[in-house]
Amino acid sequence: MNLDQALQTFIVESTELLDDMEAALLGIRETEDRASAINAIFRAAHTIKGSAGLFGLDPIVEFTHVVESVLDRVREGTIGIDDPLVALLLECSDHMGSLIRALADGQTERDAAAELRAAPILARLRALLGESPAAAPAAVAQAAPAAPAAAPDGEPTGADHWHISLRFGREVLRNGMDPLSFLRYLNKLGQITGITTLHYALPPLGDLDPEACYLGFEIALKSTADKAAIEGAFEFVIDDCQVRILAPRSRISEYIRLLDDLGEEPERLGEILVQCGSLTARELSDALARQAAAREHQPLGEILVEHGTVQPAVVDAALNRQKVVKEFKSPEGQSIRVDADKLDYLINLVGELITAGAGANLAARRSRNVEVQEANSYLASLVQEVRDSALQLRMVKIGATFGRFRRVVHDVSREIGKDIELRVLGEDTELDKTVVEKIGDPLTHLVRNAMDHGIETAEARVARGKPAHGTVTLNAYHDSGSIVIEVGDDGGGLNRERILAKAVERGLVEPGRALTDRETYGLIFEPGFSTAEQITNLSGRGVGMDVVKRNITALRGTVDVTSEPGQGTTVILRLPLTLAIIDGFLVGLGKSSFVIPLDMIEECIEFSAESGQEYTNLRGQVLPLIRLRDTFRVPGATDGRQSIVVIKHAGKRTGLVVDALLGEFQTVIKPLNRMFGQVKCISGSTILGSGEVALILDAPALIAQAARRETAAIARTARRMDLDAASLACEPAA
Amino acid sequence: MKTAAKRASRKPKSAGATVRIAGDMTIYQAEEIRQKLLAGIGASGSMVEIDLQDVSEIDTAGVQLLIAAKHAAAAVGKTVCLKAGSAAVAEVLALLGLATLLAPPAAPAASA
């Protein structure tokens, strides 16, 4: 491979690893599974260091090495992970990111400025390590007792050597590896002071496969090597072997965990540990008793964690390394990278295929040849499947996008001095990649806004009887063909009066006009509108909310706000799932055809309305009607009966009155030329099988327009009534 | 490969069979040796002697066979006696902490 290409791969992968690292760091406070988070962080640093070493990128290696050493301690549990450490590690990840970005910009030489930036971080890392990294095991041994141990089972054992449990897989010998050679190598790293060969897995001689390996070993190793070096000894058999390494002076609870984890007969194994000299007899009986007690009540792991004796991180990190390595490998094998351009091209082709298919379908129907029609309908169903799976290729989970906000929330909450946590729901909700890319900025703005203006200061919160730390919630879910993303805060809510006052002052609203809550809150999306009394450098300049709205509208989406005084504000974004191809429903109006997105349609019913009324009775409920003929000024009169298509958007039903129902239609969305940019209520166009153009209805816009018309009508009626009242009032005087 | 150098003989001696293994005792010869051990244990007599004096190399597969042979013999009420002579065998058994298990003549198994 070309070295340049390899370097590019390194840059891409390292950037992704750093993203993972950041996500894991930010999630560590809430996560249930700390061990795997710590592992992910360690792995990221470890892999970057290793790869950087291959390219001889010394500055990256040197810096990352120190980070890795600290992380290794964290993994072992000798350094507890707390907020300041998370902040420090975030700085580390930032610095690594900047080194890698510099590399991407073609800078391979040492950069004095970068080293200057690194120096304070390194100093703090080294302070954590206590001393020079070379003396690692000794430091571990001293640090272990120093770590807070609340309960007696946190006491370190007396053994001052490493304990290694090896279980070789059946295939080891056949793969050309001899466990003996690893033991010999261990003897080079240090001295094996005790060893027990486990042969309980050995089948009777008659059934024995002489080329399979059935042995396991419990080893006590006296060595000054660090954990990575010992683990490194088994690097070549990691897939074929379970390796568990306990550091010198590990706590008894870790040995318990080892016994429990191996799942073999604990008593026998325990004795083996005594034989190896890793445990004393007293320590063993203590451990076994505690394990038995734990079994009766609840899983062992939980008890230990409750006792605060084991940071799950410690043991899991050592024990599950092999599993982690495997997990790490598998996704690589299961996914491939594809250029977005290639995907786009594929989607375009599928679009053409659908259009061509519709043409063929029409021709087949006209030919009245049954065979052609059958073949064609099978073809059509295949095309539909191809379409769905092609679109599925572009679907990504929103979790990754949400994950980025952990960092935003973490940084901003420090910056503005509020304690705010991020709650993320519906991470698995999928949406089109092109949509994901475009909502990043609007979401960032909304989240910052929620933190800065939404959530009150801690004092104000406590005074209102709310928890001192605020919560920003990101939520995503699917709803009738759209994806809904909510950005919520549990702050003070919007101030209706102030918004109105401001709107009047800016001339956005006539004084004295009655507005619904929704309309009022909607005002914050008007250009140049900001109610924040104080302008911070985050938000409050009145640029932003209108930009948010514009961006979302450009994606054929809508923005809504709900707010509850004292309870918080939620901004609701509704976006189409995909921008390329949709299932549509074709309706006829005079000679033209229109497409309504099928996902929005609830049902079709026969047209019936009180004459001259803009609503009908749908099973006892009022259904407002929109006469599309009037809306689009379709010429000519209706011939025959009209129908109503009931659509649902944002929880509201509306009926569209159309001339004819023409059936489902796979719709390839073609954006309208910019010349038609001002056209309301149309979101795009599509080409029918006949080659004719059909317009795609923008249902949310239609509904909004109808709603405006309605309020205007109500206002007119109200004014008329006022007038009537006024004239009535005048009469007696006259 | 030194397979050719290996030759096993069974001769009635002290009411038991002797399985003699010479040359390499590795995964390459494992199946062959397994058959010999099975035959040795299946033979009449209350003792099986395994002669390892001339083993030039032994690996994990070889060690496994020795352990399995010991188990197999014990299962049918026999004792296994190892004549562990070669330096290669001694080194490996010491490395694995098995010296005590295999080196002394069948005394522990007798009590079982």
Side-chain angles (χ1 to χ4, degrees):
Chain A
M1 198 204 271
N2 182 330
L3 189 66
D4 230 28
Q5 262 175 16
L7 193 64
Q8 286 310 314
T9 311
F10 165 72
I11 291 169
V12 171
E13 285 183 357
S14 301
T15 314
E16 281 172 9
L17 282 168
L18 284 174
D19 287 348
D20 290 351
M21 181 170 165
E22 193 179 286
L25 276 172
L26 292 163
I28 206 148
R29 211 160 42 152
E30 295 108 66
T31 184
E32 305 258 306
D33 191 3
R34 269 194 171 200
S36 67
I38 292 175
N39 263 324
I41 301 166
F42 178 83
R43 205 162 55 227
H46 182 72
T47 312
I48 291 173
K49 186 184 99 171
S51 311
L54 290 179
F55 291 99
L57 303 166
D58 292 339
I60 299 181
V61 176
E62 284 160 20
F63 182 79
T64 315
H65 176 76
V66 184
V67 178
E68 192 194 348
S69 307
V70 170
L71 285 171
D72 203 27
R73 298 292 171 78
V74 173
R75 230 160 51 131
E76 285 163 5
T78 48
I79 295 180
I81 190 143
D82 51 8
D83 280 357
L85 182 61
V86 167
L88 176 60
L89 288 172
L90 280 174
E91 280 181 51
C92 293
S93 119
D94 285 349
H95 184 71
M96 281 152 72
S98 74
L99 289 176
I100 286 163
R101 269 194 303 281
L103 187 69
D105 295 341
Q107 186 187 344
T108 48
E109 295 305 304
R110 267 173 195 282
D111 178 8
E115 282 184 8
L116 214 62
R117 276 201 308 278
I121 306 178
L122 283 175
R124 279 155 65 197
L125 288 174
R126 291 218 169 91
L128 274 175
L129 288 173
E131 51 192 324
S132 68
V140 171
Q142 283 152 16
D153 46 355
E155 281 167 21
T157 58
D160 61 348
H161 50 68
W162 296 85
H163 186 86
I164 306 168
S165 286
L166 293 176
R167 298 289 179 275
F168 285 97
R170 297 278 181 270
E171 297 303 310
V172 144
L173 297 173
R174 266 194 277 269
N175 289 344
M177 251 124 18
D178 188 350
L180 289 177
S181 51
F182 297 108
L183 301 181
R184 291 195 176 107
Y185 182 74
L186 280 183
N187 252 339
K188 276 181 201 154
L189 278 179
Q191 194 196 349
I192 296 181
T193 56
I195 180 167
T196 305
T197 302
L198 303 172
H199 45 72
Y200 56 85
L202 205 60
L205 191 59
D207 308 331
L208 183 124
D209 173 358
E211 294 182 4
C213 181
Y214 299 97
L215 298 184
F217 302 95
E218 296 291 328
I219 299 162
L221 176 75
K222 203 164 192 149
S223 170
T224 51
D226 64 5
K227 189 164 184 173
I230 295 175
E231 264 176 345
F234 302 100
E235 205 175 329
F236 297 108
V237 277
I238 201 80
D239 287 339
D240 273 335
C241 176
Q242 298 179 41
V243 186
R244 293 175 174 80
I245 301 174
L246 291 186
R249 295 187 197 286
S250 285
R251 296 171 192 175
I252 289 186
S253 50
E254 290 173 30
Y255 282 99
I256 300 182
R257 181 66 177 258
L258 177 74
L259 296 179
D260 213 46
D261 213 60
L262 287 168
E264 295 155 4
E265 295 162 52
E267 284 78 13
R268 203 159 100 196
L269 254 177
E271 276 160 32
I272 288 163
L273 291 179
V274 176
Q275 256 178 47
C276 292
S278 292
L279 285 179
T280 65
R282 196 190 62 77
E283 283 167 345
L284 172 68
S285 62
D286 190 26
L288 287 174
R290 198 162 290 147
Q291 186 192 32
R295 280 235 177 87
E296 276 166 29
H297 301 300
Q298 62 190 104
L300 179 68
E302 282 174 30
I303 273 210
L304 294 173
V305 174
E306 263 173 31
H307 282 200
T309 54
V310 185
Q311 284 159 311
V314 189
V315 197
D316 281 10
L319 303 197
N320 294 341
R321 182 182 153 93
Q322 184 222 9
K323 196 173 124 216
V324 165
V325 168
K326 276 198 176 142
E327 278 169 4
F328 187 50
K329 275 184 184 164
S330 50
E332 253 180 331
Q334 285 164 1
S335 64
I336 49 168
R337 266 171 220 279
V338 180
D339 274 351
D341 290 351
K342 287 188 188 165
L343 269 187
D344 289 346
Y345 183 65
L346 175 68
I347 303 276
N348 278 340
L349 274 185
V350 172
E352 297 294 327
L353 187 64
I354 289 168
T355 311
N361 190 26
L362 204 66
R365 254 190 293 169
R366 279 203 194 114
S367 76
R368 295 179 188 280
N369 178 334
V370 179
E371 217 174 319
V372 173
Q373 284 180 15
E374 258 178 32
N376 201 69
S377 81
Y378 181 53
L379 197 63
S381 71
L382 282 181
V383 167
Q384 193 164 357
E385 278 181 44
V386 168
R387 177 202 71 167
D388 288 345
S389 48
L391 285 178
Q392 197 61 43
L393 290 180
R394 288 214 306 199
M395 293 302 236
V396 292
K397 290 184 177 164
I398 200 164
T401 313
F402 279 0
R404 291 215 318 254
F405 289 102
R406 293 193 181 281
R407 182 64 190 271
V408 173
V409 171
H410 182 268
D411 287 355
V412 172
S413 62
R414 278 177 156 249
E415 197 175 322
I416 59 180
K418 291 180 191 170
D419 183 12
I420 299 172
E421 67 173 331
L422 180 70
R423 210 156 60 98
V424 173
L425 302 166
E427 293 138 299
D428 288 339
T429 314
E430 288 191 327
L431 75 167
D432 197 293
K433 184 153 175 44
T434 39
V435 181
V436 164
E437 281 162 4
K438 288 176 183 162
I439 55 170
D441 286 350
L443 275 185
T444 311
H445 189 88
L446 291 175
V447 168
R448 282 174 163 259
N449 212 57
M451 297 180 70
D452 204 17
H453 302 314
I455 290 176
E456 323 90 319
T457 56
E459 299 85 67
R461 291 182 64 88
V462 173
R464 286 184 189 178
K466 295 201 269 189
H469 72 271
T471 307
V472 171
T473 310
L474 284 172
N475 185 17
Y477 54 93
H478 286 159
D479 178 42
S480 45
S482 338
I483 178 168
V484 181
I485 302 173
E486 296 179 350
V487 182
D489 64 62
D490 63 346
L494 293 174
N495 187 331
R496 200 191 135 100
E497 306 313 316
R498 207 157 75 214
I499 293 173
L500 270 180
K502 191 90 165 192
V504 171
E505 179 193 319
R506 295 275 157 100
L508 296 169
V509 177
E510 296 162 34
R513 217 186 120 185
L515 289 176
T516 64
D517 281 359
R518 204 181 136 146
E519 284 170 317
T520 314
Y521 298 144
L523 288 170
I524 62 171
F525 293 108
E526 294 298 323
F529 195 93
S530 173
T531 58
E533 278 143 358
Q534 248 184 346
I535 289 177
T536 68
N537 63 346
L538 288 176
S539 43
R541 284 181 222 278
V543 288
M545 288 308 243
D546 59 317
V547 179
V548 168
K549 182 163 189 175
R550 214 162 48 230
N551 286 348
I552 299 298
T553 313
L555 293 169
R556 297 193 289 121
T558 57
V559 188
D560 260 316
V561 198
T562 61
S563 182
E564 201 67 48
Q567 300 296 316
T569 309
T570 302
V571 180
I572 302 154
L573 309 180
R574 245 165 226 281
L575 292 160
L577 274 183
T578 166
L579 303 176
I581 306 171
I582 57 168
D583 275 318
F585 188 79
L586 206 58
V587 298
L589 277 179
K591 283 181 183 154
S592 333
S593 306
F594 291 87
V595 176
I596 303 167
L598 190 63
D599 294 324
M600 306 188 76
I601 298 180
E602 290 240 304
E603 60 185 319
C604 298
I605 54 174
E606 203 179 330
F607 173 69
S608 67
E610 322 296 317
S611 57
Q613 297 297 343
E614 297 297 315
Y615 55 86
T616 188
N617 179 340
L618 177 69
R619 290 186 292 274
Q621 288 196 320
V622 174
L623 180 74
L625 293 180
I626 298 172
R627 292 170 199 264
L628 290 185
R629 257 182 179 275
D630 300 348
T631 311
F632 295 114
R633 301 201 187 97
V634 178
T638 52
D639 46 349
R641 288 190 303 201
Q642 288 186 304
S643 300
I644 298 173
V645 180
V646 181
I647 60 171
K648 188 181 174 188
H649 177 75
K652 280 204 272 186
R653 281 190 189 76
T654 308
L656 302 179
V657 183
V658 301
D659 287 359
L661 305 174
L662 302 175
E664 288 183 31
F665 178 72
Q666 292 188 56
T667 310
V668 182
I669 301 175
K670 305 268 179 201
L672 284 176
N673 191 300
R674 215 185 311 165
M675 211 164 82
F676 303 110
Q678 293 304 310
V679 177
K680 292 267 159 59
C681 305
I682 297 290
S683 63
S685 65
T686 187
I687 298 167
L688 299 178
S690 58
E692 284 170 49
V693 172
L695 297 174
I696 301 168
L697 294 181
D698 182 354
L702 271 173
I703 294 171
Q705 201 180 44
R708 264 199 302 280
R709 214 175 45 203
E710 209 171 308
T711 21
I714 291 168
R716 263 201 312 276
T717 321
R719 262 202 298 277
R720 213 163 37 233
M721 285 167 75
D722 279 352
L723 279 179
D724 290 350
S727 54
L728 278 175
C730 287
E731 258 171 349
Chain B
M1 218 153 294
K2 290 174 248 170
T3 348
K6 183 171 41 54
R7 176 175 49 84
S9 65
R10 266 182 286 130
K11 48 188 173 185
K13 179 192 157 191
S14 64
T18 297
V19 182
R20 184 167 178 275
I21 301 164
D24 284 358
M25 196 175 173
T26 65
I27 186 169
Y28 299 107
Q29 298 82 32
E31 177 56 27
E32 211 181 314
I33 295 172
R34 185 176 77 100
Q35 295 300 340
K36 271 169 199 150
L37 290 171
L38 275 173
I41 292 163
S44 61
S46 63
M47 266 241 318
V48 185
E49 190 180 66
I50 305 176
D51 182 347
L52 300 169
Q53 279 183 71
D54 296 325
V55 171
S56 51
E57 196 186 335
I58 182 167
D59 70 354
T60 307
V63 173
Q64 276 184 174
L65 286 173
L66 290 178
I67 301 170
K70 212 173 152 74
H71 289 180
V76 293
K78 294 187 184 186
T79 51
V80 165
C81 171
L82 285 181
K83 270 174 86 178
S86 90
V89 175
E91 188 260 331
V92 166
L93 291 187
L95 179 66
L96 295 183
L98 290 173
T100 51
L101 190 69
L102 290 173
S111 63

